[in-house]
Amino acid sequence: MGVGPKQRRNRKERVKLRDVANKVGVSAITVSRALRNPNKVSPELRQTILEAIEQMGYIPDLAARALASCNNGVVGVLLPALNQQLFSSVMLGIEERLRPTDLRIQYANTRYEPEEEVNSIRAFLAQKPAGLILIGVERYEEIELLANRAPCPIVHIVDLSQQPNSLAVGIRHRVAAESAVRFMLDRNYRRIALLGGRMDVRARQRQVGYEEVMREVGLFDPSLIINEPSATSVGLGCSLFERLFAQAPDIDGVLCHNDDLALGVLFECQRRGIRVPEEIGICGFNDLDFASSIHPGLTTVHVPRYEIGHRAADMLVNAMQDDEVAEGKIELGFTVMERGTTRGLAATSLSGEK
């Protein structure tokens, strides 16, 4: 049924910026300044304006803002998987750094698909965003032209073996994996396998690190690498270990691409009566929340995910304010956190901090 003239007349009109200004008794420019540059108005006046906005139900018109200024006040954040705990701490770091500003966040889930990365970036740029944060882009050659011509700053959260060479934050996953393997070798594990799921750029770099160290010490066996091209999970960890143990029952160590897989390996060992860490050592990656709470606690590579997100957002804010960025690339540290799934709890953890 169509909407008649009477219904259209009764529909509430959108509250505009000037309506808020009239209620407070200031200019529309002052209201805009209180929202976009709060340090340029007194705290008392800004509080009065915010109270009026809440009472009147004012919603900023981002399209109008984009026309009137250089951007719409939104930071676009691309990430490969919104539903993975791995990224939740990164997102929290971004959000907490941007919360004191008037910037707002819009997420796009690229599902590890390079074509979706390009489409999402195009969609964001069409809206004149204040800036973009790209997390874990797979193929920089496909977005390089878009990124280079973007009218807003773009910050990348990457494995630091990747492009770009500026406005980037991350760690070197190859180096982290090398440290994890050496850590297990130092605890007398020798037949160390590598289990992984979807092989994104970070996972590929970890495998390179694993292979380099195992070749270096003369213990490399390609049959001990098992990858499944699907999303990682605890269940996948169980099934990968089942396959591994069937073909190599003499293994005494397992390095997993992430903690979900490592937890599955631990469960499968417990189901089979394999003693951890006496018969098999297990090391994960990322240090998710459960790693320190399970029994035995999970040895894993701690990645400072919250700090990565916070530093990336801080870099973006500085770039938007035309402040000089002190570092083009910020390399953060990692730490091998030893817990109960490997031998030698009194040993000092290795660190990759810079």
Side-chain angles (χ1 to χ4, degrees):
M1 182 180 294
V3 178
K6 183 175 181 180
Q7 288 174 296
R8 284 197 296 267
R9 284 195 299 270
N10 289 338
R11 181 180 295 169
K12 289 184 178 180
E13 294 185 4
R14 180 189 182 99
V15 177
K16 299 178 180 178
L17 191 71
R18 66 171 176 265
D19 298 326
V20 177
N22 291 337
K23 180 176 178 63
V24 178
V26 297
S27 68
I29 293 176
T30 300
V31 175
S32 177
R33 186 177 295 124
L35 293 175
R36 300 182 58 189
N37 300 289
N39 59 317
K40 293 187 177 181
V41 301
S42 69
E44 296 79 10
L45 177 56
R46 185 168 189 267
Q47 183 60 35
T48 300
I49 290 172
L50 293 177
E51 290 174 357
I53 286 173
E54 184 174 353
Q55 293 169 5
M56 301 176 70
Y58 169 69
I59 300 174
D61 188 338
L62 297 182
R65 172 173 173 169
L67 288 172
S69 64
C70 62
N71 66 73
N72 64 3
V74 170
V75 172
V77 179
L78 273 71
L79 69 167
L82 277 168
N83 62 340
Q84 287 189 3
Q85 185 185 350
L86 165 63
F87 297 109
S88 60
S89 294
V90 178
M91 294 157 64
L92 180 61
I94 294 171
E95 291 168 3
E96 292 202 357
R97 175 58 185 90
L98 297 183
R99 186 169 291 119
T101 73
D102 71 324
L103 298 168
R104 295 296 174 263
I105 301 172
Q106 182 177 339
Y107 290 106
N109 185 9
T110 63
R111 298 174 296 180
Y112 293 93
E113 298 176 5
E115 183 177 351
E116 190 60 33
E117 292 172 353
V118 173
N119 292 338
S120 296
I121 292 172
R122 289 185 189 277
F124 274 132
L125 293 178
Q127 301 172 50
K128 297 178 66 175
L132 297 180
I133 297 176
L134 310 183
I135 303 175
V137 170
E138 281 292 300
R139 299 178 188 170
Y140 272 99
E141 62 273 14
E142 297 184 19
I143 68 164
E144 186 174 14
L145 185 61
L146 284 173
N148 289 341
R149 294 183 177 179
C152 63
I154 297 179
V155 174
H156 307 262
I157 294 177
V158 294
D159 177 90
L160 291 181
S161 67
Q162 297 177 274
Q163 295 177 324
N165 294 316
S166 62
L167 295 183
V169 183
I171 71 168
R172 296 185 186 275
H173 290 261
R174 177 185 59 79
V175 177
E178 288 176 356
S179 295
V181 176
R182 294 189 192 281
F183 185 90
M184 298 188 75
L185 289 169
D186 287 345
R187 280 135 188 85
N188 295 317
Y189 297 109
R190 291 295 179 264
R191 291 280 286 167
I192 303 171
L194 179 69
L195 301 183
R198 180 187 286 113
M199 293 298 289
D200 59 28
V201 63
R202 292 165 298 282
R204 293 194 296 273
Q205 285 296 308
R206 293 170 196 167
Q207 181 165 324
V208 169
Y210 162 86
E211 291 187 12
E212 286 184 353
V213 174
M214 295 299 284
R215 291 181 191 277
E216 177 186 314
V217 297
L219 295 173
F220 178 67
D221 180 349
S223 70
L224 299 185
I225 299 175
I226 300 181
N227 296 311
E228 181 71 30
S230 59
T232 59
S233 64
V234 176
L236 181 62
C238 292
S239 62
L240 290 180
F241 182 77
E242 186 175 11
R243 286 169 52 188
L244 173 67
F245 195 74
Q247 68 188 44
D250 60 336
I251 57 165
D252 63 1
V254 181
L255 174 62
C256 297
H257 279 301
N258 62 38
D259 291 345
D260 290 339
L261 295 175
L263 183 60
V265 172
L266 177 60
F267 285 165
E268 189 64 18
C269 286
Q270 291 172 340
R271 187 180 72 82
R272 293 170 176 265
I274 300 172
R275 293 179 301 151
V276 177
E278 294 84 0
E279 295 179 83
I280 287 184
I282 304 170
C283 182
F285 208 104
N286 289 317
D287 197 16
L288 298 183
D289 292 343
F290 63 77
S292 61
S293 302
I294 60 175
H295 182 75
L298 178 64
T299 293
T300 183
V301 178
H302 173 78
V303 178
R305 301 185 309 281
Y306 172 88
E307 186 180 359
I308 287 173
H310 197 278
R311 294 287 290 274
D314 186 65
M315 183 181 279
L316 184 70
V317 170
N318 290 336
M320 290 172 55
Q321 295 173 346
D322 294 327
D323 290 343
E324 184 177 349
V325 179
E327 297 180 80
K329 271 189 175 182
I330 297 177
E331 181 172 356
L332 298 179
F334 60 85
T335 304
V336 180
M337 305 292 296
E338 181 161 39
R339 301 190 179 103
T341 57
T342 53
R343 294 189 285 258
L345 291 176
T348 302
S349 293
L350 296 179
S351 175
E353 295 183 357
K354 297 292 182 182

